[in-house]
mmCIF file of all heavy atoms in Angstrom:
data_model
loop_
_atom_site.group_PDB
_atom_site.id
_atom_site.type_symbol
_atom_site.label_atom_id
_atom_site.label_comp_id
_atom_site.label_asym_id
_atom_site.label_seq_id
_atom_site.Cartn_x
_atom_site.Cartn_y
_atom_site.Cartn_z
ATOM 1 N N PRO A 798 9.425 2.793 7.580
ATOM 2 C CA PRO A 798 8.531 3.684 8.339
ATOM 3 C C PRO A 798 7.399 4.276 7.502
ATOM 4 O O PRO A 798 6.440 4.803 8.065
ATOM 5 C CB PRO A 798 9.465 4.807 8.817
ATOM 6 C CG PRO A 798 10.851 4.323 8.573
ATOM 7 C CD PRO A 798 10.781 3.336 7.458
ATOM 8 N N GLY A 799 7.487 4.192 6.171
ATOM 9 C CA GLY A 799 6.490 4.821 5.311
ATOM 10 C C GLY A 799 5.058 4.408 5.602
ATOM 11 O O GLY A 799 4.206 5.253 5.900
ATOM 12 N N PRO A 800 4.739 3.114 5.536
ATOM 13 C CA PRO A 800 3.361 2.689 5.801
ATOM 14 C C PRO A 800 2.890 3.036 7.209
ATOM 15 O O PRO A 800 1.717 3.361 7.413
ATOM 16 C CB PRO A 800 3.423 1.168 5.602
ATOM 17 C CG PRO A 800 4.582 0.950 4.684
ATOM 18 C CD PRO A 800 5.582 2.009 5.058
ATOM 19 N N VAL A 801 3.798 2.972 8.194
ATOM 20 C CA VAL A 801 3.428 3.332 9.568
ATOM 21 C C VAL A 801 3.036 4.809 9.612
ATOM 22 O O VAL A 801 2.019 5.193 10.203
ATOM 23 C CB VAL A 801 4.602 3.057 10.538
ATOM 24 C CG1 VAL A 801 4.199 3.377 11.971
ATOM 25 C CG2 VAL A 801 5.055 1.606 10.437
ATOM 26 N N THR A 802 3.837 5.640 8.959
ATOM 27 C CA THR A 802 3.568 7.080 8.912
ATOM 28 C C THR A 802 2.236 7.368 8.231
ATOM 29 O O THR A 802 1.429 8.170 8.713
ATOM 30 C CB THR A 802 4.704 7.784 8.146
ATOM 31 O OG1 THR A 802 5.947 7.510 8.796
ATOM 32 C CG2 THR A 802 4.498 9.278 8.102
ATOM 33 N N GLN A 803 1.993 6.703 7.117
ATOM 34 C CA GLN A 803 0.787 6.977 6.340
ATOM 35 C C GLN A 803 -0.495 6.610 7.083
ATOM 36 O O GLN A 803 -1.554 7.183 6.822
ATOM 37 C CB GLN A 803 0.851 6.238 5.006
ATOM 38 C CG GLN A 803 1.829 6.881 4.025
ATOM 39 C CD GLN A 803 1.828 6.179 2.681
ATOM 40 O OE1 GLN A 803 2.189 5.021 2.589
ATOM 41 N NE2 GLN A 803 1.419 6.876 1.646
ATOM 42 N N THR A 804 -0.404 5.666 8.018
ATOM 43 C CA THR A 804 -1.575 5.277 8.810
ATOM 44 C C THR A 804 -2.234 6.496 9.456
ATOM 45 O O THR A 804 -3.457 6.578 9.566
ATOM 46 C CB THR A 804 -1.162 4.272 9.914
ATOM 47 O OG1 THR A 804 -0.565 3.134 9.301
ATOM 48 C CG2 THR A 804 -2.358 3.827 10.742
ATOM 49 N N PHE A 805 -1.413 7.472 9.860
ATOM 50 C CA PHE A 805 -1.932 8.634 10.589
ATOM 51 C C PHE A 805 -2.597 9.657 9.665
ATOM 52 O O PHE A 805 -3.278 10.559 10.137
ATOM 53 C CB PHE A 805 -0.798 9.303 11.374
ATOM 54 C CG PHE A 805 -0.324 8.474 12.530
ATOM 55 C CD1 PHE A 805 0.681 7.536 12.359
ATOM 56 C CD2 PHE A 805 -0.905 8.602 13.780
ATOM 57 C CE1 PHE A 805 1.110 6.750 13.416
ATOM 58 C CE2 PHE A 805 -0.481 7.828 14.847
ATOM 59 C CZ PHE A 805 0.524 6.895 14.659
ATOM 60 N N PHE A 806 -2.371 9.534 8.368
ATOM 61 C CA PHE A 806 -2.927 10.513 7.438
ATOM 62 C C PHE A 806 -4.031 9.935 6.561
ATOM 63 O O PHE A 806 -4.913 10.656 6.111
ATOM 64 C CB PHE A 806 -1.818 11.069 6.536
ATOM 65 C CG PHE A 806 -0.729 11.769 7.295
ATOM 66 C CD1 PHE A 806 0.494 11.157 7.503
ATOM 67 C CD2 PHE A 806 -0.936 13.031 7.821
ATOM 68 C CE1 PHE A 806 1.498 11.795 8.213
ATOM 69 C CE2 PHE A 806 0.056 13.677 8.534
ATOM 70 C CZ PHE A 806 1.274 13.058 8.728
ATOM 71 N N MET A 807 -3.981 8.638 6.305
ATOM 72 C CA MET A 807 -4.904 8.039 5.342
ATOM 73 C C MET A 807 -6.177 7.512 5.996
ATOM 74 O O MET A 807 -7.151 7.245 5.312
ATOM 75 C CB MET A 807 -4.203 6.905 4.586
ATOM 76 C CG MET A 807 -3.042 7.395 3.745
ATOM 77 S SD MET A 807 -2.258 6.086 2.790
ATOM 78 C CE MET A 807 -3.462 5.837 1.499
ATOM 79 N N ASP A 808 -6.161 7.353 7.304
ATOM 80 C CA ASP A 808 -7.314 6.796 7.999
ATOM 81 C C ASP A 808 -7.985 7.896 8.819
ATOM 82 O O ASP A 808 -7.405 8.421 9.769
ATOM 83 C CB ASP A 808 -6.861 5.641 8.906
ATOM 84 C CG ASP A 808 -8.039 4.897 9.502
ATOM 85 O OD1 ASP A 808 -8.720 5.473 10.371
ATOM 86 O OD2 ASP A 808 -8.279 3.745 9.095
ATOM 87 N N ASP A 809 -9.207 8.253 8.458
ATOM 88 C CA ASP A 809 -9.902 9.369 9.114
ATOM 89 C C ASP A 809 -10.088 9.123 10.608
ATOM 90 O O ASP A 809 -9.944 10.037 11.427
ATOM 91 C CB ASP A 809 -11.265 9.614 8.461
ATOM 92 C CG ASP A 809 -11.125 10.198 7.068
ATOM 93 O OD1 ASP A 809 -10.038 10.726 6.761
ATOM 94 O OD2 ASP A 809 -12.093 10.119 6.282
ATOM 95 N N GLU A 810 -10.418 7.886 10.964
ATOM 96 C CA GLU A 810 -10.675 7.582 12.375
ATOM 97 C C GLU A 810 -9.403 7.760 13.205
ATOM 98 O O GLU A 810 -9.444 8.272 14.331
ATOM 99 C CB GLU A 810 -11.207 6.150 12.511
ATOM 100 C CG GLU A 810 -11.775 5.859 13.891
ATOM 101 C CD GLU A 810 -12.437 4.492 13.960
ATOM 102 O OE1 GLU A 810 -12.849 3.961 12.910
ATOM 103 O OE2 GLU A 810 -12.537 3.958 15.079
#
Side-chain angles (χ1 to χ4, degrees):
V801 182
T802 302
Q803 286 183 296
T804 302
F805 290 89
F806 299 104
M807 296 183 75
D808 188 289
D809 290 342
E810 192 174 337

